Amino acid sequence: MPGIEAVAKLAGVSTATVSRALSGNGHVSPSTRVRVHEAARELGYVVSSSASSLASGRTKNVGVVVPFLSRWFYSSVLEGAGAALLRNGYDLTLYGLSGGDDERTSVFEHFLLRKRVDAVLALTIELNESELQSLLDLHKPIVGIGGPLKGVQTLSVDDVAVAMLATEHLLGLGHTRIGMIGGASRFELDFHLPTNRRAGYEDALRLAGVQPDPPLFRPADFTIRGGYEAARELLVDPPNRPTAIFAASDEMAIGSILAARDLGLSVPRDVSVIGIDGHEHSEFFGLTTMAQFPRRQGEQAVEMLMDRLHPGRRDPLPTNIPLPVELIVRTSTAPPAG
Amino acid sequence: MPGIEAVAKLAGVSTATVSRALSGNGHVSPSTRVRVHEAARELGYVVSSSASSLASGRTKNVGVVVPFLSRWFYSSVLEGAGAALLRNGYDLTLYGLSGGDDERTSVFEHFLLRKRVDAVLALTIELNESELQSLLDLHKPIVGIGGPLKGVQTLSVDDVAVAMLATEHLLGLGHTRIGMIGGASRFELDFHLPTNRRAGYEDALRLAGVQPDPPLFRPADFTIRGGYEAARELLVDPPNRPTAIFAASDEMAIGSILAARDLGLSVPRDVSVIGIDGHEHSEFFGLTTMAQFPRRQGEQAVEMLMDRLHPGRRDPLPTNIPLPVELIVRTSTAPPAG
DNA sequence: CTGAAAGCGCTTACAG
DNA sequence: CTGAAAGCGCTTACAG
């Protein structure tokens, strides 16, 4: 592993010039530039990140804090963020918080403080006061995805609007008895997503002159099984049965489709189902959904971070652009029968 | 952000002693130890990772190379590895290879070389010669998961054995016409997993005196949809229909269950289905499966790495212990009808 | 545009 | 058990 000195020697310049030529910071004459690059590649020289970080105060590394990894949404965001960071020459250091409270504490009180990162991306994670404070104390750019974090630039879908659009799709097809499978209140932690999606659903109903009927709302846990059980309860009782179900996640919507089938009901003839996510499995189940694009969310968050890390490098992305969502109509929704 | 000097001053010792007391390298008297720790916590001191790395040559960071993130298996392994690294005081730098070839090349030729990591974990990823060589040239501990990597310590399930066990479960129930949905050859890349699982299936049949029937084997792509379509082909033709299906992944097995239902067949009465994985959704579908435990695989790989990074710290894990798999019998398998 | 030199904040032989 | 000091490999004012 050759050092910068070897490159300098081979190129016949000082190490200062090598550093400038390779990093692009500071001016170097074109011909020197070329010579230095050639020498570097001939020797297989790659800068030592710790030496470079120590000297410059920049790490070329971004910390990403994630609550869960083994869920499609999070891992998709992470995938997008990782690809975008790579393109920008940054490493990604991952801090998973799926462990216990002790692990969580150590991430905020120890790991993130060792100056290993230039910036932090917080994925859909509600932070308590002291966690937020230790992030802010880093005095580094932070971007959050998924909900408001006080004092932090965040990127999030408008949950109320998304739920309204989903509900309006069903209303537009002629449904009026529309059930909702929403988030249980213990997921409230997650930026009031359950409350907001329920609010959007009820707002849309009222706007259409339909009075929300509380028994048509069922809380669940965002999983297929949870959606299955909630849908069963909604659908088991023919006289009161809704003609359509809006589920706050695609997994719960898929559970609803399976529950309907098991009850001998046909989707969409007997009951329409719409979800939110654009989950990888939604297409297979013919699920109509409000797609949010998690990969793109991750990429966009990184771009915002890059704008802050390299101001003036280009026109920055506008702050607070709402995240894109898109209604994808498949075969799980149709006008109500008869 | 106080430095080591501030801690030294407050504790009334030299920076050398602070370093030794905090890192645990080298002897420090108990009372000094306590004083240093108190001073450090009073000041909120956390070591600068770049300074420490530069001086010591150790980064306390492990690079993890992953082909995909948004798939359950990979993200579960990653979650396990991340938790285990955290417990050991290590950071995890993630290199996702889901992008194009250029990104892939830059990971191996640039990112991994900047001395940011002490060791590398390669998750279920087939490397070409030059990629492998650049890993080996790092002269750092490497552990692979998922298949043999020449010159690298690897952790993998015995695919032949797992497939045999799955097939034997069906044979034991009395099935003899057993179909298999395996991997298409383009997934061969993945350590011959398709070939090995097929071999295990055929071996088990032959051992039981059953001649493998080529039309009963269908290749697919490991997804629900792929399994669905393959199962449809297997099941659509009553006279030749198998009484049981062994799918090389749980997602394909779930697709098979759904296909059977859509054909009006009952699982397990008309057809039994078994998968491999222990996927998070397998329980919901009542799927009998050969569970492999990806989270644990990730943890175990990290322990092997730690044994190499800190020799003598404890008794090392035995090399080449086979990864645990476990038959989980649910409701998708039963003796053949009639 | 380029170089000499200080300095980034630690760790670790070396000496006692 | 502890300290003084060299050194890890870069970057960047500063000067020219």
Side-chain angles (χ1 to χ4, degrees), chain B residues 211-257:
Chain B
Q211 190 54 33
D213 185 9
L216 288 184
F217 178 89
R218 304 278 160 161
D221 64 356
F222 290 96
T223 67
I224 294 187
R225 173 183 297 280
Y228 181 91
E229 282 159 8
R232 236 191 127 79
E233 293 174 14
L234 283 173
L235 297 174
V236 78
D237 189 15
N240 301 311
R241 179 192 296 159
T243 62
I245 291 178
F246 160 44
S249 80
D250 277 358
E251 292 207 22
M252 295 197 291
I254 289 169
S256 302
I257 290 177

Side-chain angles (χ1 to χ4, degrees), chain B residues 230-291:
Chain B
R232 236 191 127 79
E233 293 174 14
L234 283 173
L235 297 174
V236 78
D237 189 15
N240 301 311
R241 179 192 296 159
T243 62
I245 291 178
F246 160 44
S249 80
D250 277 358
E251 292 207 22
M252 295 197 291
I254 289 169
S256 302
I257 290 177
L258 296 170
R261 284 192 201 167
D262 283 357
L263 289 168
L265 299 174
S266 157
V267 174
R269 206 188 49 226
D270 300 316
V271 57
S272 284
V273 177
I274 186 172
I276 295 183
D277 269 348
H279 190 284
E280 53 176 344
H281 289 153
S282 63
E283 189 189 350
F284 173 75
F285 287 97
L287 180 65
T288 295
T289 185
M290 295 297 308

Side-chain angles (χ1 to χ4, degrees), chain A residues 134-216:
Chain A
S134 47
L135 275 193
L136 293 172
D137 286 349
L138 294 175
H139 298 294
K140 292 182 179 154
I142 312 172
V143 167
I145 292 190
L149 240 34
K150 209 181 297 175
V152 172
Q153 185 180 19
T154 50
L155 215 55
S156 50
V157 303
D158 181 338
D159 281 305
V160 177
V162 173
M164 281 189 76
L165 289 170
T167 309
E168 283 165 356
H169 170 66
L170 298 173
L171 288 163
L173 288 168
H175 294 276
T176 52
R177 276 194 69 71
I178 300 176
M180 172 170 183
I181 300 177
S185 48
R186 73 197 137 98
F187 295 98
E188 200 53 27
L189 185 90
D190 222 11
F191 304 116
H192 312 293
L193 181 147
T195 301
N196 288 337
R197 292 193 178 168
R198 182 174 188 173
Y201 155 76
E202 295 186 344
D203 287 356
L205 291 179
R206 289 203 190 87
L207 269 176
V210 177
Q211 190 53 33
D213 185 10
L216 287 184

Side-chain angles (χ1 to χ4, degrees), chain B residues 118-199:
Chain B
D118 291 337
V120 174
L121 209 61
L123 296 196
T124 320
I125 186 164
E126 189 95 359
L127 303 175
N128 64 36
E129 291 252 327
S130 87
E131 290 168 346
L132 191 55
Q133 197 53 53
S134 47
L135 274 193
L136 293 171
D137 286 350
L138 294 175
H139 297 295
K140 291 180 179 156
I142 312 173
V143 168
I145 292 189
L149 240 34
K150 209 181 297 177
V152 171
Q153 185 179 19
T154 50
L155 215 54
S156 51
V157 303
D158 181 338
D159 281 305
V160 177
V162 173
M164 281 189 76
L165 288 169
T167 309
E168 283 166 354
H169 169 66
L170 298 172
L171 288 162
L173 289 167
H175 294 276
T176 52
R177 279 195 67 71
I178 300 175
M180 173 170 181
I181 301 176
S185 49
R186 73 195 138 100
F187 296 98
E188 200 54 28
L189 185 90
D190 221 13
F191 304 115
H192 313 291
L193 181 147
T195 301
N196 288 337
R197 292 193 178 169
R198 183 174 189 175

Side-chain angles (χ1 to χ4, degrees), chain A residues 25-199:
Chain A
N25 298 129
H27 277 208
V28 176
S29 80
S31 69
T32 319
R33 245 183 77 77
V34 171
R35 251 183 316 134
V36 170
H37 273 96
E38 271 171 3
R41 78 176 332 282
E42 190 171 328
L43 296 172
Y45 170 76
V46 176
V47 67
S48 151
S49 70
S50 43
S52 173
S53 302
L54 181 58
S56 71
R58 283 173 264 104
T59 64
K60 289 284 231 169
N61 189 24
V62 168
V64 179
V65 183
V66 213
F68 306 100
L69 273 171
S70 57
R71 292 206 195 157
W72 173 81
F73 182 81
Y74 298 100
S75 55
S76 300
V77 175
L78 184 62
E79 193 166 75
L85 285 169
L86 204 67
R87 280 197 296 275
N88 283 280
Y90 276 72
D91 281 326
L92 184 170
T93 292
L94 184 66
Y95 298 99
L97 262 30
S98 56
D101 283 353
D102 286 359
E103 284 181 17
R104 184 165 171 138
T105 306
S106 75
V107 165
F108 287 97
E109 304 199 340
H110 189 79
F111 283 81
L112 282 172
L113 304 182
R114 17 186 193 187
K115 303 191 187 140
R116 184 161 282 171
V117 302
D118 290 337
V120 174
L121 210 62
L123 295 196
T124 320
I125 187 165
E126 189 95 0
L127 303 175
N128 66 36
E129 292 252 327
S130 85
E131 290 168 346
L132 191 54
Q133 197 53 52
S134 47
L135 275 193
L136 293 172
D137 286 349
L138 294 175
H139 298 294
K140 292 182 179 154
I142 312 172
V143 167
I145 292 190
L149 240 34
K150 209 181 297 175
V152 172
Q153 185 180 19
T154 50
L155 215 55
S156 50
V157 303
D158 181 338
D159 281 305
V160 177
V162 173
M164 281 189 76
L165 289 170
T167 309
E168 283 165 356
H169 170 66
L170 298 173
L171 288 163
L173 288 168
H175 294 276
T176 52
R177 276 194 69 71
I178 300 176
M180 172 170 183
I181 300 177
S185 48
R186 73 197 137 98
F187 295 98
E188 200 53 27
L189 185 90
D190 222 11
F191 304 116
H192 312 293
L193 181 147
T195 301
N196 288 337
R197 292 193 178 168
R198 182 174 188 173

